[in-house]
Amino acid sequence: VTDSLWCYRCDETYPRSAGARCDCGEPLWFDVDPTYDPARHADESGLGRYRDLLPVDELRGLTSAAGGTPLIRTDRLDDVAGCRIWVKDEGEHPTGSFKDRGSAVGVADVLARGRTAVGTVSHGNMAMSVAAHAAAAGLDCAVLVPADIPPERLAIIGQYDPEIIRVDGDYGRLYEVSIRIGERLDIDFLNSDVPLRVAGQKTTTLEVVDAFRPDAPDAIVMPVSSGGHASGAWKALRDLRACGALPSTPKLCFVQAAACDPVATAFRDGTETVSPVTGGETIAYSIANADPPSGARALAAARDTDGAVVSVDDDEIREARTRLARGAGLCVETASATTLAGARRLAAAGVLAPDDRVVLVATGSGFKESTATADAAAPSVPLAGLDATLAARFA
Ligand SMILES: [Zn+2]
């Protein structure tokens, strides 16, 4: 357990009271003690297994339910992608997404410090996750959503009874503004790339690496939006490397939707920083972040690990979502399907080899999205005709 923050770019260390950002403007990470031994808490479930690399010690109640998601060998997707595919199914979390990892660490820390209120800026998975964890812990919770949020999503968030506030204005600016207001009002905003949340989100990659020991996978592919999860993946690899516990470095590959791909654009252009874009519409709306707060860190993560950042269009995403359902039995969030489409592109470009062991991080469940289309060709038969119908189809 550690209590200081560190900037990857300047190598500066700060006390945790310094907040979320370095003086250089980059987000900070929690520092760790480089004496971690993967075998030490290996018999524990969930995030408790990684307590030596996390800023919290005590995980109980709902916070003990995060992590430990299945890693599934999906060999029927190998031909689709052009490499050997495993899927890390983050949709198995209590609120159906990887966000529960960060919310668990955030809420556990808030409880440990005796504070009473959390908040977040989100109209999707993170809002549901923070609201659920706050409800379970008996904390007050503020969820700031855009004024035009669809009613069905408001209903899912609302069931946990947080204080939902629709905010009219520049939703992008709200990210920083909320953290400043929270500091004044004693509300801990667990936004997408704050150090506590990123610490929790390291554990996706820690679990993936542990599952392949004594080796490591050749690549990990994940969607990138704010860059919080991507930077968590990089930090996980760096922590393991610092502790002598990383067998080899998997390539970190990130995927964006082509309609809104500031990180992929910066990667292609060879720049060190990510410039905001004017994002267009995409079916992968939950990763359409036009000005990602951890974009530069995601970019550095891809380059440091010999990985890549690519973008895929909506047709490729739709096709990948169908393949994940029909070839692997997985109902993933549309944004998560970008990983299969991205792996396919990376294999075609030679970044991934046919023998490579590649893990797609399916960040969220598709069961919260009403994207399924009814099979219009499904026959309707009287009970008496069932025998003949099945015989005609399966004989
Ligand atoms: Zn810095």
Side-chain angles (χ1 to χ4, degrees):
V1 179
T2 168
D3 218 30
S4 61
L5 300 168
W6 178 73
C7 174
Y8 75 98
R9 184 189 273 170
C10 315
D11 195 21
E12 279 294 325
T13 303
Y14 293 83
R16 71 170 287 171
S17 57
R21 289 273 184 287
C22 176
D23 289 343
C24 79
E26 279 297 285
L28 297 167
W29 275 324
F30 273 100
D31 218 349
V32 301
D33 174 359
T35 57
Y36 166 72
D37 171 4
R40 193 159 157 241
H41 298 291
D43 56 334
E44 289 193 38
S45 65
L47 304 190
R49 185 169 172 182
Y50 302 108
R51 66 181 64 214
D52 292 346
L53 295 176
L54 297 175
V56 292
D57 207 26
E58 174 98 20
L59 294 156
R60 58 193 150 86
L62 194 65
T63 66
S64 70
T69 56
L71 178 72
I72 307 160
R73 173 73 175 109
T74 53
D75 56 346
R76 293 192 64 217
L77 298 179
D78 293 3
D79 286 345
V80 179
C83 47
R84 290 189 288 164
I85 297 293
W86 281 251
V87 174
K88 180 72 169 162
D89 186 10
E90 293 290 287
E92 292 282 307
H93 274 104
T95 70
S97 88
F98 76 104
K99 293 288 184 183
D100 285 346
R101 295 177 184 273
S103 301
V105 169
V107 164
D109 172 77
V110 166
L111 289 173
R113 287 184 298 123
R115 292 168 66 91
T116 57
V118 292
T120 198
V121 175
S122 165
H123 46 105
N125 287 327
M126 189 161 57
M128 297 167 199
S129 179
V130 172
H133 280 82
L139 299 172
D140 290 332
C141 180
V143 174
L144 311 185
V145 301
D148 60 351
I149 182 172
E152 60 273 16
R153 252 188 285 156
L154 208 50
I156 301 182
I157 301 166
Q159 70 185 320
Y160 304 110
D161 199 27
E163 195 71 51
I164 299 177
I165 301 165
R166 297 170 196 252
V167 183
D168 219 351
D170 182 353
Y171 197 67
R173 275 194 57 224
L174 197 52
Y175 189 95
E176 296 297 337
V177 169
S178 64
I179 292 174
R180 280 206 304 276
I181 296 174
E183 280 166 6
R184 244 188 4 256
L185 301 180
D186 284 340
I187 305 168
D188 287 305
F189 270 85
L190 301 172
N191 291 354
S192 62
D193 79 338
V194 300
L196 274 172
R197 174 166 294 284
V198 171
Q201 285 163 190
K202 288 193 301 195
T203 58
T204 314
T205 298
L206 295 173
E207 287 178 10
V208 167
V209 171
D210 275 345
F212 281 85
R213 288 188 189 281
D215 303 321
D218 297 292
I220 299 172
V221 184
M222 47 173 69
V224 61
S225 176
S226 70
H229 201 194
S231 85
W234 189 28
K235 186 62 163 64
L237 298 182
R238 295 176 66 123
D239 286 356
L240 293 176
R241 200 187 293 150
C243 305
L246 184 64
S248 62
T249 303
K251 292 175 178 174
L252 293 179
C253 300
F254 307 121
V255 191
Q256 298 206 287
C260 186
D261 65 346
V263 187
T265 300
F267 185 81
R268 277 195 302 272
D269 292 349
T271 60
E272 262 186 45
T273 54
V274 174
S275 303
V277 297
T278 309
E281 291 288 310
T282 167
I283 55 170
Y285 60 87
S286 65
I287 55 166
N289 193 324
D291 187 10
S294 277
R297 247 183 344 179
L299 201 55
R303 292 200 176 117
D304 179 61
T305 58
D306 204 19
V309 190
V310 292
S311 47
V312 291
D313 66 33
D314 279 11
D315 285 341
E316 292 172 274
I317 298 169
R318 224 175 264 117
E319 164 77 7
R321 193 178 64 201
T322 302
R323 297 287 196 147
L324 279 153
R326 297 184 184 181
L330 293 170
C331 172
V332 305
E333 185 176 68
T334 304
S336 300
T338 59
T339 56
L340 178 59
R344 186 176 187 157
R345 274 201 178 222
L346 290 163
V351 176
L352 302 177
D355 278 347
D356 278 356
R357 294 175 303 174
V358 177
V359 177
L360 310 183
V361 181
T363 44
S365 165
F367 288 116
K368 288 185 274 182
E369 292 180 336
S370 50
T371 45
T373 47
D375 188 347
S380 175
V381 297
L383 182 54
L386 181 59
D387 195 328
T389 303
L390 282 177
R393 297 213 156 199
F394 292 92

